[in-house]
Amino acid sequence: MNREILTVVETVSNEKGLNPEDIFEAIEQALVVSTKKKVYSEQPEVALRVHINRKTGDYDTYRYWTVVADEDHEMPACQLAISDLDENEWKIGDVKEEQIESIEFGRIAATQAKQVIIQKIREAERSLVADAFEHRIGEMITGEVKKPARDGYIIDLGDNVEGYLPRDKMLPREQLRIKGRINAILEQVNRDNRGAQLVLSRTSPQMLTALMQKEVPEIAEQIIEIRDVARQPGLRAKISVKTNDHRIDPVGACIGMRGTRIQAVQQELEGERIDVVVWSDDAVQYIISALEPADVDRIILDEDTKTADIIFATNDQLARAIGSQGQNVRLASELTGYRLNMMLEDEYNAQQESETKVYRDLFYTRLEVDEDLAQALVDIGFTSLEEVAYVPAETFYDIDGLDDDAIDAIQERAKEAVIADELVKQQNIKEPSQELLNLEGMTQAWAYKLAERDVITVDDLAEQAIFDIQDIEGLDEKTAGELIMKARESWFN
């Protein structure tokens, strides 16, 4: 009976609280390493295994080979070719082994076992810590500042467990005192053997959420819900709340009598200013609340792009909405999930006029309509050629003076323009000049087909011969000649 092995297993198991099976496996691995060094030093690829009897401590050593296909037989020390065996008895993937003489569990094996056991202990301890803390990711935990480390601090979490608080996860200008108590969010559990295992953070949004739950009983009891959080750690934060009991004011409950609750949270976060706003499923109302203390004049939402134009009547209100160094609007945008464009009424009107001119000019030049009709298209909400081309014809009925034939003609031109634009994208051809597009008798489709042939300007067209362009779809010899002569008019003026 090998009492020495049993003694090692029992001692380490009791001291370190490890599973005895893990220690037995570590000793088996150590014995394999020692056997290779002592018996097979010139054949490191030899495959060995050791089995220890868990009750007696006695152990046996085995050498084994894996059965492989002939073409894969590259390592004779640990592989057997299938053709060298009875194929009725063996198949590829089987393992053939034979017992060999075991070495003594002497000083070398014991030393090797010690190293393996130490490594196993570390792995097992990390595994135990990971198992204990993995379900607590995102939870606030309390510890004691143990010592500074490279780019951060080691935090004692109790029961011989340590966490790591990186400097970039600390609040700006925050100074920690050794042995001082500290709260932090468990942000990451690392099961690998490299780097810190438990990574903490005091800058994550969950930190603010956890502190509010701690200070506001109504949140802990789920009478009040925290919906969104946006932070600039150590400086300012916004938090939106919703009540599940209409009798309770969610903002008042979070702030507390004379601000005692919110002040306790701010004190923990080094004076970080916290704005509590009411959450709303109405995006406009939610944005208005998020931008407090500024007074919003108007909001124009675009749900598709998640953007909002926020319009203010005065410079003073605009400045309040933006906040110091853009803090207020940046946090409001993060809180609501909308990109917020801030502007005064005059700026908005100028922007609208500019956009209107762009769309009006687009329709005027590409659809071959007069300015009044181009403006009318803009007024009823068209902003692209695709919309004009493919909306139902009834959409145009609000424009005075348009009959069905005129509507069909406009939509046909719009479709032609869309196809021409798509052709540009697909073939990466050059854009025809505006002068060529506006040439009398020219269509957009012909202009873009000409551009494919590097005929970009009116002068380029003037230099063409009829046979150069008459093969373009829709162009005959007569029309090609007329276009070329039209382009050459400048030669005779």
Side-chain angles (χ1 to χ4, degrees):
M1 182 178 291
N2 199 325
R3 292 286 185 186
E4 188 175 359
I5 289 179
L6 297 180
T7 301
V8 169
V9 172
E10 183 179 1
T11 302
V12 175
S13 178
N14 290 336
E15 288 181 358
K16 298 295 184 178
L18 296 179
N19 186 338
E21 184 61 29
D22 292 334
I23 305 170
F24 275 117
E25 290 176 1
I27 296 175
E28 288 171 343
Q29 185 179 341
L31 285 167
V32 166
V33 173
S34 297
T35 302
K36 282 189 175 184
K37 284 185 177 180
K38 187 173 182 179
V39 182
Y40 299 99
S41 58
E42 297 181 1
Q43 293 179 283
E45 69 273 17
V46 165
L48 302 175
R49 75 175 183 88
V50 172
H51 175 70
I52 300 174
N53 187 302
R54 275 37 174 175
K55 293 182 178 179
T56 67
D58 295 330
Y59 57 92
D60 297 311
T61 306
Y62 300 87
R63 180 178 177 182
Y64 63 89
W65 298 261
T66 302
V67 179
V68 298
D70 290 357
E71 61 270 20
D72 296 328
H73 188 218
E74 299 173 350
M75 301 175 65
C78 60
Q79 293 177 337
L80 292 173
I82 186 67
S83 62
D84 295 333
L85 301 170
D86 183 351
E87 294 189 15
N88 294 324
E89 183 179 353
W90 300 93
K91 63 180 183 295
I92 293 174
D94 285 350
V95 175
K96 183 178 186 298
E97 68 178 19
E98 64 180 34
Q99 187 171 351
I100 62 175
E101 184 178 353
S102 298
I103 66 170
E104 293 184 7
F105 185 67
R107 181 178 60 81
I108 295 177
T111 301
Q112 188 69 44
K114 181 180 178 182
Q115 293 173 349
V116 175
I117 289 170
I118 290 172
Q119 181 62 29
K120 283 282 187 180
I121 288 170
R122 289 174 180 164
E123 292 174 2
E125 287 177 339
R126 288 180 71 89
S127 181
L128 288 172
V129 170
D131 291 342
F133 283 87
E134 202 154 34
H135 69 283
R136 298 180 64 184
I137 291 177
E139 182 181 322
M140 186 171 71
I141 55 181
T142 302
E144 183 179 281
V145 181
K146 186 174 183 179
K147 60 182 179 181
R150 182 181 179 183
D151 298 326
Y153 283 85
I154 301 299
I155 309 298
D156 185 354
L157 303 178
D159 296 326
N160 294 319
V161 177
E162 294 179 347
Y164 174 61
L165 179 61
R167 172 64 63 180
D168 61 1
K169 301 292 184 181
M170 295 170 55
L171 301 175
R173 302 180 299 279
E174 186 172 31
Q175 299 296 323
L176 302 186
R177 293 180 297 104
I178 303 303
K179 294 190 176 180
R181 302 292 290 174
I182 189 170
N183 294 313
I185 292 295
L186 177 60
E187 189 169 77
Q188 179 184 350
V189 174
N190 177 18
R191 285 187 175 272
D192 297 335
N193 289 325
R194 294 182 179 181
Q197 186 170 17
L198 303 181
V199 181
L200 309 177
S201 172
R202 283 174 55 79
T203 60
S204 71
Q206 291 100 317
M207 183 70 187
L208 178 53
T209 300
L211 289 171
M212 293 296 292
Q213 288 174 338
K214 179 182 175 184
E215 296 295 334
V216 183
E218 291 87 346
I219 294 177
E221 295 167 7
Q222 298 183 341
I223 297 173
I224 294 175
E225 292 181 43
I226 296 177
R227 298 303 301 257
D228 300 298
V229 177
R231 287 186 71 190
Q232 188 171 356
L235 300 175
R236 190 170 180 181
K238 286 183 181 287
I239 182 170
S240 64
V241 293
K242 170 182 177 290
T243 180
N244 292 322
D245 186 339
H246 67 277
R247 296 170 298 178
I248 294 177
D249 171 20
V251 174
C254 290
I255 293 174
M257 187 72 69
R258 298 180 182 175
T260 53
R261 290 176 173 177
I262 205 71
Q263 286 170 11
V265 176
Q266 290 174 322
Q267 185 175 357
E268 172 70 31
L269 298 178
E270 301 289 317
E272 185 173 314
R273 178 182 168 186
I274 301 167
D275 299 334
V276 183
V277 303
V278 177
W279 178 86
S280 174
D281 56 4
D282 180 343
V284 171
Q285 185 57 51
Y286 191 21
I287 292 171
I288 290 173
S289 298
L291 285 170
E292 292 176 353
D295 292 329
V296 176
D297 191 47
R298 277 193 295 152
I299 295 180
I300 292 86
L301 283 183
D302 186 334
E303 292 286 0
D304 294 333
T305 61
K306 299 291 282 186
T307 60
D309 292 333
I310 317 297
I311 302 153
F312 298 90
T314 66
N315 273 314
D316 179 55
Q317 295 302 326
L318 176 61
R320 284 189 183 183
I322 294 172
S324 175
Q325 299 179 338
Q327 232 176 44
N328 195 56
V329 65
R330 186 166 56 251
L331 291 174
S333 178
E334 185 180 341
L335 191 75
T336 61
Y338 279 80
R339 182 164 59 86
L340 307 180
N341 303 317
M342 323 288 282
M343 63 191 78
L344 291 170
E345 185 77 40
D346 290 344
E347 292 175 301
Y348 177 74
N349 291 337
Q351 177 181 297
Q352 288 299 103
E353 178 56 36
S354 175
E355 289 181 0
T356 296
K357 184 178 185 304
V358 168
Y359 298 139
R360 184 175 63 239
D361 291 348
L362 171 70
F363 299 145
Y364 174 71
T365 57
R366 302 294 298 278
L367 298 181
E368 303 174 22
V369 299
D370 60 34
E371 290 190 1
D372 290 340
L373 181 50
Q375 181 62 53
L377 291 171
V378 173
D379 291 342
I380 65 172
F382 287 117
T383 58
S384 71
L385 294 170
E386 288 85 350
E387 290 176 355
V388 176
Y390 299 110
V391 298
E394 308 87 75
T395 310
F396 297 87
Y397 288 171
D398 290 338
I399 300 177
D400 292 335
L402 278 187
D403 57 24
D404 290 340
D405 290 340
I407 293 172
D408 289 343
I410 290 172
Q411 289 198 293
E412 199 58 42
R413 290 178 209 146
K415 289 174 184 176
E416 189 177 86
V418 170
I419 292 170
D421 288 345
E422 188 61 32
L423 193 62
V424 171
K425 293 178 185 176
Q426 291 179 1
Q427 300 186 11
N428 195 26
I429 62 175
K430 295 177 182 178
E431 285 271 355
S433 68
Q434 197 61 52
E435 186 184 12
L436 183 64
L437 284 165
N438 293 339
L439 184 69
E440 185 179 341
M442 181 66 68
T443 69
Q444 289 182 36
W446 292 343
Y448 279 93
K449 282 292 185 181
L450 288 168
E452 289 181 45
R453 306 179 183 199
D454 288 328
V455 178
I456 306 298
T457 66
V458 170
D459 287 340
D460 293 336
L461 178 58
E463 294 172 359
Q464 304 300 306
I466 293 175
F467 65 84
D468 289 329
I469 66 172
Q470 69 180 27
D471 61 330
I472 291 176
E473 184 179 354
L475 266 182
D476 54 27
E477 183 177 345
K478 178 184 176 184
T479 308
E482 290 173 350
L483 287 174
I484 291 171
M485 292 307 296
K486 199 69 181 176
R488 290 176 180 174
E489 283 183 357
S490 61
W491 293 2
F492 309 108
N493 293 334

